[in-house]
Amino acid sequence: MTRARYFIGRVLRAWLTVAFVATFVFGIVHFLPGDPVDVILGDQATAEDREALRHALHLDESLPRQFGRFVSSIFDGTLGTSFRRHPETVAELIADAMQPTILLALSSLALAWAIALPLGVLAAESRGGPGDRIAMFFAALGLAIPNIWLGPLLILVFAVKLGFLPIPGDDASGALGLVLPSITLGTSLAAILTRQIRGSLREVLDQAYVVAARARGVGKLGVLLKHGLPNALLPVLTLGAAQLGALLSGAVVAEKIFERPGLGTLFLEAFFARDLPVVQGCVLVIATIYVSVNLALDLVYGLVDPRAEVS
Amino acid sequence: MRRLARIGRGASFAIVGAFFFAALAGPAFAPDPVGTLHLEFPYEPPSAAFPLGTGDNGIDLYSAILHGARLALVVGVWVVGISLLLGSAIGIAAGYYGGRVDHALMGFADMVQAIPAIVLNIAILAVVASPGLVHLVVALAANGWVVYARVARASTLSLRSSDFVAAARALGFSDARVLSRHVLPNVAGPLVVQATAGFGWTLLAESTLSFLGLGPGKETSWGALLDQGSAVLLRFPHVALVSGGAIALTVLGFNLAGDRLRDLLDPRSRRR
């Protein structure tokens, strides 16, 4: 019973969050000072032009009606129509931009885990020894380098000086073109994961059942694979989901540096054109991705570890 | 390695000190005022005349870095100040009153955090025709307060069950008195630590927005300089190296200074 309640409560909260984000985004666009018509047409436009645009964009309707229009555009799956590329719906634009961003995010995530797992294990196993210090040094370094600087540095070293990876603007559609953007995006995540894996694994390795396993004569690797990692990685997985936001934010930066198409590029273009429906839609979709992944991981966590329900 | 860490912590205060000096006094002794161009010397590498070289349209990078420090300081002080006030008020209220108040306030914080930081900042800036300093501060503070609220709530929660707060409440002191005399002074430590690192994160967020071309600091922000530098990266890498280096070093300095402050204020955390 409690388990069912936990799941239902969790799903409801996720829905509530998405509803809140939708309202919030609508509020930002409609209540903050600043008129989209002014922003789009500039201050040279005639009064008739303004009125015409205002009418075309339904901005002359009452706020509740506009909100109703926005909500129904969410439910019919179009998310409204782009100001700039008019007949196209926001959902179509976002759907086109989604695939390269997801590819980039997944490869960054894979890279981050590939670095963080061995480093984190090394740090936890050597506990205060040289391995620990080396791993923590790299983690501190990875956290310290801003991605807006790391990207250009990587291009400078690997694409320009060494010349074995494509320069942005070249044809970078292949897997090679994904390497530098993934490093740019994945480095700070790798650093955070390393710290979390280290902390979590150290805690688990202190547990009585681990001590007992050691006393039974289970080898170091056996302890690690059978008792250490399965128990240590679970919390890291859910904590790591919180980093998804940073990954999505970072995609905006990485796509700009490496001139890649994607959700971030679409979002920035919409910003500069003040294509507010697209801005709105991007925020909503990005937040929904974030909420859904967190929800999914929480639910899986709840299934695997019943103690999660209590907290 | 341990000595290296100690040097690092000492260096952190040196970096933070240098940053404040550059931000406060820098514009006074910068060779060029804001907007000065040496059109005949674009993208010069560092030399005696231009210690850090020149950038787009021959702007002196040394002067630009000093002016950029001032901008970073102004933005940082406002954003961290507003976020700290707002966040600690919300966090302390949530932790102290608990129950529904806690649920509502922290639920709100969760929801704000469901929108990735930069994405929310950009969405807010998108509503204004030409974003200025005030808009930038509002956009950054709009989600900047959440982390302070969490820290304040956690500290308040542990204080609420402590004996001296219970005693103060048992004596019939008003909530206002308990909060201001007993809770706030004890929550202040963790908040100061958070604010120190938070200053670094704010600088990074401001630089990122300027790098993306969204901020008001097109002339002075380090992020905007880095953006210009990235455009000419292949031929004149010094522009991106200098401006990006300034950002990285300052952010690192504030983060390490935050760690060091935590060790000083809370000796228990050092043992971990």
Side-chain angles (χ1 to χ4, degrees):
Chain A
M1 194 57 219
T2 46
R3 168 166 286 196
R5 265 183 65 182
Y6 168 77
F7 281 105
I8 294 169
R10 195 61 195 76
V11 171
L12 278 181
R13 219 171 69 201
W15 272 103
L16 200 67
T17 305
V18 171
F20 165 83
V21 170
T23 318
F24 192 64
V25 168
F26 179 84
I28 287 175
V29 171
H30 290 83
F31 287 106
L32 285 190
D35 183 349
V37 173
D38 278 354
V39 178
I40 296 167
L41 292 179
D43 45 14
Q44 303 290 322
T46 63
E48 290 111 60
D49 284 349
R50 284 161 186 281
E51 233 14 79
L53 182 65
R54 202 175 292 279
H55 184 68
L57 302 179
H58 305 294
L59 291 170
D60 51 353
E61 293 173 3
S62 69
L63 267 184
R65 270 201 75 168
Q66 287 190 52
F67 188 64
R69 199 179 275 283
F70 176 56
V71 172
S72 67
S73 79
I74 295 175
F75 282 104
D76 67 19
T78 59
L79 294 174
T81 341
S82 163
F83 282 0
R84 194 167 51 117
R85 293 152 72 170
H86 192 62
E88 282 185 272
T89 66
V90 175
E92 284 166 356
L93 291 173
I94 290 179
D96 287 345
M98 196 77 106
Q99 191 245 343
T101 301
I102 289 183
L103 190 65
L104 175 61
L106 286 181
S107 78
S108 311
L109 198 63
L111 180 87
W113 273 97
I115 296 171
L117 194 57
L119 270 186
V121 170
L122 175 76
E125 284 284 346
S126 79
R127 194 174 291 227
D132 195 3
R133 295 205 199 122
I134 290 170
M136 284 304 97
F137 176 74
F138 278 110
L141 201 66
L143 274 180
I145 296 185
N147 54 11
I148 50 174
W149 197 40
L150 181 59
L153 285 183
L154 289 172
I155 295 173
L156 202 58
V157 174
F158 291 100
V160 180
K161 295 274 188 255
L162 302 177
F164 56 75
L165 286 168
I167 293 170
D170 292 0
D171 176 34
S173 50
L176 274 185
L178 210 54
V179 175
L180 294 183
S182 304
I183 300 176
T184 306
L185 194 51
T187 297
S188 62
L189 187 62
I192 293 168
L193 285 176
T194 304
R195 287 182 164 190
Q196 285 176 348
I197 292 172
R198 170 181 179 264
S200 180
L201 189 57
R202 272 172 79 147
E203 221 164 86
V204 170
L205 290 180
D206 280 343
Q207 298 291 318
Y209 59 82
V210 173
V211 179
R214 284 213 185 100
R216 284 201 308 274
V218 181
K220 216 171 181 176
L221 197 65
V223 168
L224 191 66
L225 292 180
K226 261 193 96 173
H227 304 283
L229 285 179
N231 290 298
L233 291 188
L234 212 52
V236 175
L237 213 58
T238 37
L239 283 175
Q243 301 304 328
L244 182 71
L247 208 59
L248 291 168
S249 284
V252 181
V253 172
E255 284 172 11
K256 177 188 152 105
I257 296 176
F258 293 94
E259 298 170 22
R260 293 174 61 83
L263 209 52
T265 303
L266 177 72
F267 186 50
L268 274 188
E269 279 172 9
F271 172 89
F272 285 114
R274 295 306 197 276
D275 194 344
L276 294 180
V278 178
V279 172
Q280 249 175 16
C282 285
V283 176
L284 190 59
V285 167
I286 290 172
T288 307
I289 295 174
Y290 177 83
V291 171
S292 313
V293 172
N294 272 286
L295 173 68
L297 280 172
D298 265 12
L299 293 184
V300 171
Y301 191 41
L303 276 180
V304 184
D305 185 354
R307 285 172 302 177
E309 287 163 23
V310 185
S311 60
Chain B
M1 211 63 163
R2 204 164 280 161
R3 185 183 294 168
L4 204 68
R6 198 177 304 142
I7 295 170
R9 291 205 198 93
S12 69
F13 287 121
I15 295 170
V16 169
F19 170 77
F20 277 110
F21 181 72
L24 294 172
F29 65 77
D32 292 348
V34 177
T36 309
L37 307 175
H38 304 274
L39 289 170
E40 64 280 29
F41 303 113
Y43 302 118
E44 290 278 317
S47 64
F50 306 106
L52 297 178
T54 66
D56 201 16
N57 289 325
I59 179 176
D60 173 35
L61 289 179
Y62 174 58
S63 305
I65 292 290
L66 292 176
H67 294 302
R70 168 67 65 86
L71 178 78
L73 179 70
V74 171
V75 173
V77 165
W78 276 104
V79 172
V80 172
I82 294 174
S83 303
L84 186 62
L85 276 179
L86 201 67
S88 42
I90 290 175
I92 291 175
Y96 188 73
Y97 293 107
R100 285 206 179 149
V101 179
D102 187 19
H103 262 285
L105 291 176
M106 286 298 119
F108 180 61
D110 280 344
M111 290 179 184
V112 170
Q113 249 181 358
I115 310 175
I118 300 263
V119 174
L120 178 64
N121 301 336
I122 297 176
I124 292 176
L125 290 175
V127 191
V128 201
S130 52
L133 204 57
V134 177
H135 305 116
L136 182 69
V137 169
V138 170
L140 288 174
N143 48 15
W145 60 272
V146 174
V147 52
Y148 301 100
R150 291 199 195 288
V151 170
R153 174 180 177 269
S155 308
T156 310
L157 268 182
S158 67
L159 284 172
R160 195 171 62 147
S161 52
S162 69
D163 290 341
F164 68 94
V165 171
R169 291 174 89 179
L171 283 169
F173 290 159
S174 67
D175 282 352
R177 174 161 175 175
V178 176
L179 285 176
S180 64
R181 299 279 286 273
H182 302 283
V183 175
L184 194 59
N186 289 295
V187 179
L191 282 174
V192 168
V193 170
Q194 192 62 49
T196 309
F199 196 96
W201 294 120
T202 305
L203 169 68
L204 188 58
E206 180 269 314
S207 299
T208 303
L209 290 174
S210 299
F211 177 80
L212 296 172
L214 315 175
K218 293 212 170 60
E219 301 222 308
T220 49
S221 168
W222 292 348
L225 274 183
L226 178 55
D227 182 27
Q228 292 170 14
S230 303
V232 294
L233 188 66
L234 308 188
R235 283 173 302 152
F236 311 109
H238 70 275
V239 186
L241 287 176
V242 165
S243 49
I247 299 170
L249 198 64
T250 312
V251 173
L252 179 66
F254 274 97
N255 284 347
L256 290 176
D259 286 352
R260 182 85 187 107
L261 268 185
R262 188 184 54 217
D263 292 348
L264 288 173
L265 292 174
D266 180 11
R268 270 168 303 175
S269 70
R270 214 178 314 182
R271 252 177 269 146
R272 280 196 298 151

